[in-house]
Amino acid sequence: EVQLLESGGGLVQPGGSLRLSCAASGFTFSSYAMSWVRQAPGKGLEWVSAISGSGGSTYYADSVKGRFTISRDNSKNTLYLQMNSLRAEDTAVYYCAKAPLPGGNPLMGFDYWGQGTLVTVSS
Amino acid sequence: EIVLTQSPGTLSLSPGERATLSCRASQSVSSSYLAWYQQKPGQAPRLLIYGASSRATGIPDRFSGSGSGTDFTLTISRLEPEDFAVYYCQQGGTFGGGTKVEIK
């Protein structure tokens, strides 16, 4: 059974940093691209970042480019999102999500999602 | 940048009725990367349709997707009580604003 478990969310002041983790199990982690998708309270979904299975290719939404860094450790089956220079508008539930096909385009859809971790940016 | 516009914003229907949800892209997009999701309150989204018309694993056949170019449709043939939720379309790194299907 595929499982994705996010952690690392919390309250942080504007300008601060936070690192999210997503522990994956139930599939061959290194074969699949992964993404982070966020949802501000009461709002819709926003794709944040994606990474290929090998970690060699990364992609970012314009809203986070230069501030967030996605990475993965395939030996630990774990996905990360390093978030720096956080702003109030980054407040959201952050989901990690798995691409549906091995080796496929990371943005062709997300077939499994974690339960999400809440990041609140406030003074 | 592609913009996805979903309509209507809210759809009020009764169980057993047919639901037709629209997703319109600001420019022609690849059907291969058009997906639909269902989200219920307090839950993560669930993939329903990928590649514009392929049902994801375990999705009932009352859900179907169609379309190409700039116009895509999610159809729920007969609404079940558990289908009342918010639905999002996605193309690449862009999500639509969502359609809420509520009980009439």
Side-chain angles (χ1 to χ4, degrees):
Chain A
E1 179 192 3
V2 172
Q3 291 193 339
L4 300 171
L5 185 62
E6 302 94 339
S7 61
L11 175 63
V12 61
Q13 292 188 337
S17 298
L18 213 53
R19 187 175 87 153
L20 306 183
S21 300
C22 172
S25 61
F27 63 103
T28 305
F29 182 67
S30 60
S31 295
Y32 292 84
M34 298 291 295
S35 281
W36 289 97
V37 178
R38 69 185 180 184
Q39 187 168 35
K43 303 297 184 182
L45 301 169
E46 180 187 15
W47 171 77
V48 172
S49 183
I51 187 168
S52 62
S54 67
S57 297
T58 57
Y59 311 85
Y60 298 94
D62 287 344
S63 58
V64 306
K65 201 172 293 182
R67 300 187 298 123
F68 290 11
T69 302
I70 191 171
S71 62
R72 63 192 297 160
D73 185 335
N74 287 342
S75 68
K76 295 182 178 179
N77 288 354
T78 302
L79 174 72
Y80 302 100
L81 185 67
Q82 177 67 43
M83 305 186 295
N84 298 331
S85 303
L86 283 161
R87 306 166 180 167
E89 54 265 34
D90 295 319
T91 294
V93 173
Y94 285 72
Y95 296 100
C96 66
K98 170 187 166 291
L101 297 178
N105 186 293
L107 296 179
M108 69 181 299
F110 312 115
D111 62 347
Y112 286 93
W113 298 61
Q115 86 293 344
T117 187
L118 176 62
V119 172
T120 303
V121 184
S122 175
S123 55
Chain B
E1 179 185 338
I2 293 170
V3 176
L4 298 178
T5 301
Q6 291 189 240
S7 61
T10 301
L11 198 52
S12 298
L13 295 168
S14 300
E17 290 193 293
R18 181 184 187 90
T20 303
L21 287 66
S22 173
C23 176
R24 178 163 291 176
S26 57
Q27 62 191 77
S28 184
V29 299
S30 169
S31 299
S32 298
Y33 302 121
L34 197 289
W36 289 92
Y37 301 85
Q38 176 194 69
Q39 188 178 33
K40 297 179 181 179
Q43 296 184 16
R46 177 173 71 144
L47 178 66
L48 300 174
I49 302 288
Y50 65 95
S53 60
S54 298
R55 268 188 303 276
T57 302
I59 301 303
D61 60 8
R62 65 180 181 272
F63 291 92
S64 63
S66 63
S68 63
T70 60
D71 291 306
F72 299 88
T73 300
L74 174 71
T75 300
I76 310 171
S77 59
R78 285 172 43 174
L79 284 164
E80 297 288 340
E82 62 268 27
D83 298 337
F84 292 91
V86 180
Y87 293 82
Y88 295 95
C89 61
Q90 174 229 346
Q91 202 285 332
T94 302
F95 284 93
T99 290
K100 181 179 182 180
V101 179
E102 66 176 22
I103 299 176
K104 187 175 181 180

